[in-house]
Each structure stands twice: as C-alpha cells, then as structure tokens.
Amino acid sequence: MILKIRPHFTLSEVARMAGVEKSELRALEERGTLPPPRRTPENHRVYDFEEARRIVGLTAPVRPRRIAIVNQKGGVGKTTTTFNLAGALARRGRKVLAIDLDPQANLTSSLGVEMKEGDPSVEELFVEEEFDARKAVRETRIPGLSCIPARPRLAGVEIKIFDAFLRETILDRKLEGIRDEYDFLLLDCPPNLSLVTVNALVACEEALVPIEAQTYSIKAISDLTNTVALIRSRLGRGVALRFLPTKIDGRLKVGQEILEAIKGGLKERVLPPIRTDANLVRAPMLRAPVGFAFPRSKGAKDYARLAEELLREPASAPQGATAGKPEAFNG
Ligand SMILES: Nc1ncnc2c1ncn2[C@@H]1O[C@H](COP(=O)(O)OP(=O)(O)OP(=O)(O)O)[C@@H](O)[C@H]1O
Ligand SMILES: [Mg+2]
C-alpha cells in the first residue's frame, strides 16, 4: 500500500509552521493580509506549499544549508535519517533537495521515485562534464521535497572519475548552479569513505553522523574525522560534524549507558537521539516519511525534534585543520 499524501496545508498546519496561534492567522485572513484560501471538495480551507511558505515568511533568499548524512558503517540509519529529516523539514515549509548517493538507491525508492531506462540520475552529475544537475531533479509526492535519484550502476562511478581533473570537487561544482533554489540539501552517503563520499563532504558545510548505539565504534568515528581533517587541510574545505545517536532504546539501561558514553566522548556535538521505532521501518514501504505516515509515532516526534534543532541554529564550519575532530581524538 502507498500512503496518499495531501498536496496542501491546513490553516492549523501553517500556524504551526509559523509558530503562531491559529487565531492570529484567522485575524490576518479577515483583514485581507493573507491570500484567500482554496476550498477542497469537502469545503476545507487549504493553502498550497508556496502559499504556506509566503505566509510563514520563508521566501526571503537564505543561504542553503548543505548537510551530508555520513558514516562508513552500514545500517546505522543514514538513509532513514535523510528520508525522515527531509520530510520533517518539508513539513515545516522548507524546500528540500534530497540527493541519493548510494547505489542501493534505498532513498530513491523510499521517496517513491521510479526510474525508467534513460532517466537521469546522480551518476550523470559525476560523469557528464556538461550535465545540468537540474535535469536529474525529480519531484516527490511530498510538497516541497525534491530528489536527485540514484541507480545501481552508480557503483561503477568511482572508476570512471578516478582520473578526472579535480575529482573531489565534481559534485560541489555540479550543485553550485541549483543549490540556491533550496533551503536544505541533504546528501545520503554510501557506507564507505569512497570518492563519492569525499565529494559529498566537499559539497557540504555540515555533516550529520548517525551512530547506532549498539555498534558504536570509536575507530570508525576516528577514520571519519581524519577524512574530514584531510579535506580541510588539502582542499581548504571545513565541514562541521555533528553526531546523531540512532536506534536508542531508552527503556534499557544499556541504551542509556551507550548514550552517555557517546555524549561523554563527543562532547557538545551530539544531537538529540532517535529512538528505536518499528514505524521507521514501515514508513518507506508506504513511500512516505514517518511524519506523514505515522505522525504520532516516536519516530515522527524524534525526527521533528531533530528538524527543530537544526532550524534553531546552523552549525558553523570549523576553522582549524584539526577542527571537526571529537575532543577525545585531539590529543
Ligand atoms: N530508529 C530506528 N528504529 C528502528 N529501525 C531503524 C531505525 N533507524 C533505522 N532503522 C532500520 O535499520 C535499517 C538500516 O537503516 P538505514 O538503511 O537507514 O541505514 P543506512 O546507514 O542508510 O544503511 P546503509 O549503510 O546500508 O546505507 C533499516 O532497516 C531501517 O529501517
Ligand atoms: Mg543507506
């Protein structure tokens, strides 16, 4: 079954987006400050995505936030985070471009983007010199959320770009022309520290690192922070790392202990955790982020809280060559 997504927002949803009471918007509407709402066949008053953005005052040009979702360990929640965070941000009126950089193409299929033979994908951004990234962008069923899809043959891209000129900055250069059309770019990385992942880190100012509580490994984190430090020193690009504990079972003592250990080792860069929730496994099958598919679930609440946290204050890119390293690895 595929969940039907409403293409519009109600006045209550727009009020929540704007952080004001519904009555305040009502008053504006009566004074004619707000555009008159459309009526659905059931006579509900609704706004489309662009109208909702205008009302909430989100149309002023801002610098897009570019966030890589990265961890070379497999199965830690990268795709789950990209998918549900993208949904949570779009639900708050933000324009989001989710980019699938994994040949497994789980993000692409979760978003319900079907690929036919000849449809452009992220691979073309890497291998075709003159390719316009806009041609690979696909709309999803979620208002405000677009996607650059992947396909399995992306696995061969590493070899194709190995000898390319400035091969670490290909993606960054390709996205330059379109990124200002979005509030957020979220890049779902493959489970390795390949050239594709390095391209993602170079194209982003922030990286969000999901850490699965059960498989938390200091070695993996230190390999990742070393890569980030190299990108900083060799290419002069700073990436602010933040860590996101995932699959936390708050009821179990061990879950709490692992969370404390992660926080202790990584200091302030730890984001509010995502708890274990089976709805996060179900939502991709409905082709809808958890906030749309199961709005009252733990998963929906946790990803909403993460979106709020990211909207509250942008992470600033670190300055020094060793910046981005957790305190525990600096000495
Ligand atoms: N908080 C959670 N609660 C329950 N299940 C989760 C949670 N987060 C992720 N999962 C499940 O764990 C599995 C791995 O998650 P996901 O695919 O997001 O990881 P990944 O890091 O993208 O993996 P890969 O490295 O293979 O790309 C999936 O089946 C997903 O549904
Ligand atoms: Mg994945």
Side-chain angles (χ1 to χ4, degrees):
M1 192 195 88
I2 290 183
L3 190 82
K4 209 162 168 276
I5 305 276
R6 264 196 291 113
H8 48 242
F9 293 82
T10 63
L11 194 68
S12 321
E13 286 167 336
V14 177
R16 203 178 318 132
M17 252 186 217
V20 299
E21 292 296 319
K22 205 162 110 179
S23 55
E24 284 181 50
L25 288 187
R26 275 259 153 72
L28 287 175
E29 200 181 283
E30 276 157 23
R31 271 188 260 139
T33 313
L34 289 192
R38 257 187 320 120
R39 301 265 177 182
T40 64
E42 302 82 36
N43 208 26
H44 294 141
R45 305 136 66 88
V46 294
Y47 299 87
D48 73 17
F49 184 78
E50 286 300 336
E51 269 171 355
R53 271 172 66 81
R54 252 197 310 280
I55 294 168
V56 180
L58 291 174
T59 47
V62 285
R63 235 156 51 94
R65 301 264 302 263
R66 293 172 277 146
I67 309 179
I69 321 297
V70 62
N71 187 337
Q72 70 274 34
K73 269 182 103 78
V76 296
K78 293 180 289 295
T79 303
T80 303
T81 296
T82 311
F83 181 54
N84 294 300
L85 177 60
L89 289 167
R91 224 181 146 81
R92 280 159 188 72
R94 269 44 176 216
K95 277 193 182 168
V96 183
L97 178 63
I99 305 177
D100 193 348
L101 289 169
D102 191 341
Q104 298 175 92
N106 290 336
L107 178 66
T108 302
S109 58
S110 299
L111 286 167
V113 173
E114 283 173 20
M115 297 294 283
K116 289 196 294 293
E117 193 53 44
D119 284 349
S121 70
V122 76
E123 190 199 6
E124 280 81 349
L125 271 67
F126 281 100
V127 299
E128 284 184 27
E129 191 74 36
E130 298 297 323
F131 188 79
D132 177 358
R134 218 170 262 108
K135 283 201 207 136
V137 174
R138 299 276 291 266
E139 295 313 313
T140 73
R141 300 163 343 102
I142 310 297
L145 174 51
S146 312
C147 160
I148 296 186
R151 28 164 109 251
R153 62 163 195 245
L154 177 65
V157 86
E158 298 276 327
I159 297 168
K160 293 188 189 160
I161 62 172
F162 194 78
D163 291 323
F165 183 60
L166 299 174
R167 60 184 184 179
E168 289 87 4
T169 61
I170 297 174
L171 189 61
D172 185 48
R173 282 177 280 131
K174 278 285 162 49
L175 293 175
E176 215 175 344
I178 58 164
R179 63 189 183 206
D180 289 350
E181 292 164 29
Y182 301 92
D183 301 312
F184 281 85
L185 270 63
L186 301 184
L187 283 62
D188 182 21
C189 294
N192 51 46
L193 285 176
S194 61
L195 203 42
V196 167
T197 302
V198 169
N199 262 273
L201 288 168
V202 169
C204 290
E205 291 166 317
E206 300 173 52
L208 210 158
V209 187
I211 300 178
E212 189 189 6
Q214 280 71 14
T215 62
Y216 171 52
S217 129
I218 289 193
K219 168 83 170 65
I221 299 303
S222 122
D223 287 349
L224 176 60
T225 53
N226 286 339
T227 302
V228 166
L230 268 179
I231 291 173
R232 168 83 210 171
S233 63
R234 302 269 170 86
L235 299 169
R237 304 291 185 99
V239 187
L241 281 182
R242 292 208 273 182
F243 299 89
L244 175 70
T246 59
K247 305 192 199 177
I248 291 285
D249 191 335
R251 287 166 311 172
L252 293 184
K253 192 154 172 281
V254 58
Q256 281 304 333
E257 281 170 10
I258 294 169
L259 193 56
E260 290 312 315
I262 294 175
K263 281 187 189 157
L266 302 170
K267 298 283 181 312
E268 77 287 354
R269 298 193 191 87
V270 179
L271 288 159
I274 307 295
R275 290 168 288 178
T276 300
D277 180 5
N279 293 307
L280 291 169
V281 185
R282 293 189 193 108
M285 298 180 226
L286 301 175
R287 307 285 182 254
V290 69
F292 291 82
F294 306 104
R296 284 180 222 290
S297 65
K298 279 192 285 185
K301 290 198 180 110
D302 291 350
Y303 278 105
R305 185 172 59 166
L306 176 62
E308 298 290 350
E309 178 74 18
L310 293 178
L311 288 170
R312 210 166 48 80
E313 47 158 341
S316 53
Q319 297 306 314
T322 56
K325 283 191 157 200
E327 310 290 335
F329 308 117
N330 275 345

